[in-house]
Amino acid sequence: MKRLILAAVVLLAFAGVSCDAIDDLLTFYINHDETITIASNFPVGQLVPLTPVTVTTNSEESFKNNKTRAELVKDVTLDKLTLTITDPQGGNFDFLKRIELYISSDNKPEVKLAGLDAVPQNVSQIELQSTNAELDEYIKSDSYTIRTEAVLAKPVSSDITIKADMRFKATADPL
């Protein structure tokens, strides 16, 4: 009886490790980067949208490079979104109080992608918190639109350019 219980425990442990290993083999990342500009005439203290940015996905190529196809891709979520000030050089996020990013695509509703309610001071790079929204259909489309809303803590005297590095995590069903 003890051997049977031990065998069952070993089998369950092996199955759990094997499933994780298989998931790791079928998981890949898609990277996109875009530029966001905050104009010097941006109002202070209110949540205001910035000009939306359209992103061409090149999804089919990403899927092909990861040895899969769009119909096999599932469970796409935003894994990481980092904002870095690129202009002016040496700039920091002291001007920013709050930021939110939304994603939309043809015939698909807009959903919140990520945000940060309390932007830290004296830093030139911040990481937004993902909403873990399901993004399968957005990433599979030919393009999607990123819309940004921001609340400024203080006025900015010149335009600020921010690079948004987005990393999406995707899983593919086995062939």
Side-chain angles (χ1 to χ4, degrees):
M1 185 64 162
K2 288 182 182 179
R3 287 184 183 181
L4 185 60
I5 292 172
L6 180 62
V9 168
V10 169
L11 183 61
L12 286 174
F14 179 72
V17 170
S18 296
C19 288
D20 288 343
I22 289 170
D23 280 349
D24 287 345
L25 289 173
L26 300 175
T27 298
F28 60 97
Y29 297 91
I30 301 169
N31 295 301
H32 290 284
D33 60 80
E34 291 302 319
T35 300
I36 301 168
T37 301
I38 296 182
S40 58
N41 61 352
F42 202 82
V44 176
Q46 42 186 305
L47 189 63
V48 178
L50 302 173
T51 304
V53 176
T54 300
V55 178
T56 303
T57 62
N58 297 324
S59 303
E60 290 301 322
E61 186 176 327
S62 294
F63 300 152
K64 185 178 177 183
N65 290 342
N66 287 285
K67 298 174 179 57
T68 191
R69 299 183 313 272
E71 61 270 12
L72 299 175
V73 174
K74 62 177 186 172
D75 301 331
V76 179
T77 57
L78 178 69
D79 181 58
K80 187 175 185 178
L81 197 157
T82 304
L83 301 180
T84 306
I85 295 179
T86 58
D87 188 40
Q89 291 249 322
N92 62 41
F93 281 102
D94 288 358
F95 66 92
L96 192 60
K97 183 176 184 179
R98 177 176 160 204
I99 189 163
E100 298 174 350
L101 272 71
Y102 296 84
I103 188 170
S104 63
S105 187
D106 292 339
N107 303 320
K108 292 168 193 60
E110 180 178 80
V111 296
K112 187 174 177 182
L113 188 60
L116 193 57
D117 288 332
V119 176
Q121 300 292 292
N122 299 317
V123 296
S124 60
Q125 187 175 73
I126 56 175
E127 190 167 323
L128 275 57
Q129 297 167 345
S130 173
T131 61
N132 293 318
E134 185 178 309
L135 304 171
D136 302 20
E137 296 306 314
Y138 301 91
I139 298 301
K140 290 178 186 180
S141 65
D142 292 334
S143 66
Y144 56 84
T145 301
I146 297 292
R147 185 176 65 83
T148 306
E149 289 187 351
V151 176
L152 294 190
K154 62 184 180 180
V156 293
S157 57
S158 63
D159 291 358
I160 298 172
T161 305
I162 300 170
K163 181 180 176 193
D165 291 309
M166 298 173 278
R167 184 172 75 183
F168 298 94
K169 181 179 178 182
T171 303
D173 280 333
L175 298 174

